[in-house]
Amino acid sequence: MQKDINSLIFQNTPKIMELAKRCEDNNAIEKDLYTKFDVKKGLRDLNGKGVLAGLTNVSDVCAKKIVDGEEVPCAGSLYYRGYNIKDIVKGFLEAGHSGFEETAYLLLFGELPSNSELKEFQEMLAERRTLPPNFVRDVIMKAPSRDMMNGISRCILQLYTYDAKADDTTIPNVLRQSLNLISQFPMLMVYCYHAYNYRRGKDLYIYAPDPQLSMAENILMMLREDRQYTALEAKILDMALVLHMDHGGGNNSTFTTHVVTSSGTDTYSTIAAAMASLKGPKHGGANIKVTQMFEAMKGSLTDWKDEAQIRAYLEALLDKRAFDHKGLIYGMGHAIYSISDPRADIFKSFVKELAKEKRREEEYALYEKVEELAPVIIGEKRKIYKGVNANVDFYSGLVYSMLDLPPALYTPIFAAARIVGWSAHRLEELKNVDKIIRPAYKALAPHREYINLDDR
């Protein structure tokens, strides 16, 4: 009997399909009405400019400059607390230390740390890399999810029950919770992955984090059975975490953080909501789509160096004749950047070095060729209102692949970085705005008289 019930609730029955059709019919809105009432889909206009919804000191995304009094596109720039991301990366690379902890300090507290402050902060994060007693057994190992983002979100919500001050939204308490979650996230991510694999018959190995290692080093160490990684691997993963740490207050998951925080809810619910947003293939899940697209492309091409074949495949993608038939070239284009994504620029400068170490230069060359051809072909086939360029997801998937990271963890690694930005924005919202976010929607349905059931 139970099996019959389960098969019923997890199937799209004919009745469900019938009702779904009614849903579609009665929810359809004419596209022209969005223009008529000046409603900006996605809260952005046709040129990619977003609706101003708040103020922030945390980070800034720049893609335009003023020339002769008018805005014109320019090479993209990303700033964390006023510091250019390229300068931040250059700084910690020249200093020879990992960048995650230094950049996290900057985003959370608004200033670059001194040597002593950085050391103290590193120790603070290290001592918080722990989970409640039996948490792995009682939460992570039970009913592990095939989707790591869902599994991690469940763990975050469960951590609420272990926190005696879970609902306290004062700044000191939220900061404590944020530091805990930032420190615990790599453990939740890696352990959820190992637990799911164990349920599929693979070996189980759970390694405790090493307090002497950086965030990136611990991820690689805990993930691999032999605990081994190269210095270059750790450096590039660390850089990836820094580049993904924040991206302005308007990106979907950070805006979600602001919206949910404004309701007055707890930190665990807020971060779980941000996780749900980041999971989407139009947001944090985009890098998986890039790697999947390239796998399909490589299987279709007989010569990875043949420009004509590459061009034909990209045209097929846009014509919905290849890969997932969505008409998209994943990794190309961004809501804000129109000339270049600074994160992609930084990534690209190191991808070639990693490709050489991993002996995957030919694959890297294919990515370069697609990056060159895609904007041209998109411009030929589509009406575009702003430039098209490779975004950070275009190269991050390739980087994670060369680091031998499982695709199931591509988006969680994004989240392991972005949780710092979410935390900074949550603290900023709590400090400055004591008003729930509630935008307006224009109602289109005409008012009707209710008809009694017997008269219908």
Side-chain angles (χ1 to χ4, degrees), residues 22 45 131 164 168 179 184 205 213 238 277-278 345-346 391 425 453:
R22 186 175 296 179
D45 63 22
L131 294 170
D168 180 347
L179 292 173
Q184 294 165 329
Y205 44 96
L213 299 181
D238 176 68
S277 165
L278 190 71
D345 291 344
I346 295 171
N391 59 48
H425 282 275
L453 187 62

Side-chain angles (χ1 to χ4, degrees), residues 56 58-61 78-80 85 107 241-249 251 254 343 414 417-418 420-422 424-425:
T56 183
V58 179
S59 68
D60 186 20
V61 182
L78 172 62
Y79 295 86
Y80 289 169
I85 187 64
L107 284 180
L241 293 172
V242 170
L243 295 177
H244 284 95
M245 204 171 281
D246 199 50
H247 204 238
N251 72 81
T254 300
R343 302 166 301 170
F414 192 156
R418 188 56 62 88
V420 177
W422 295 335
H425 282 275

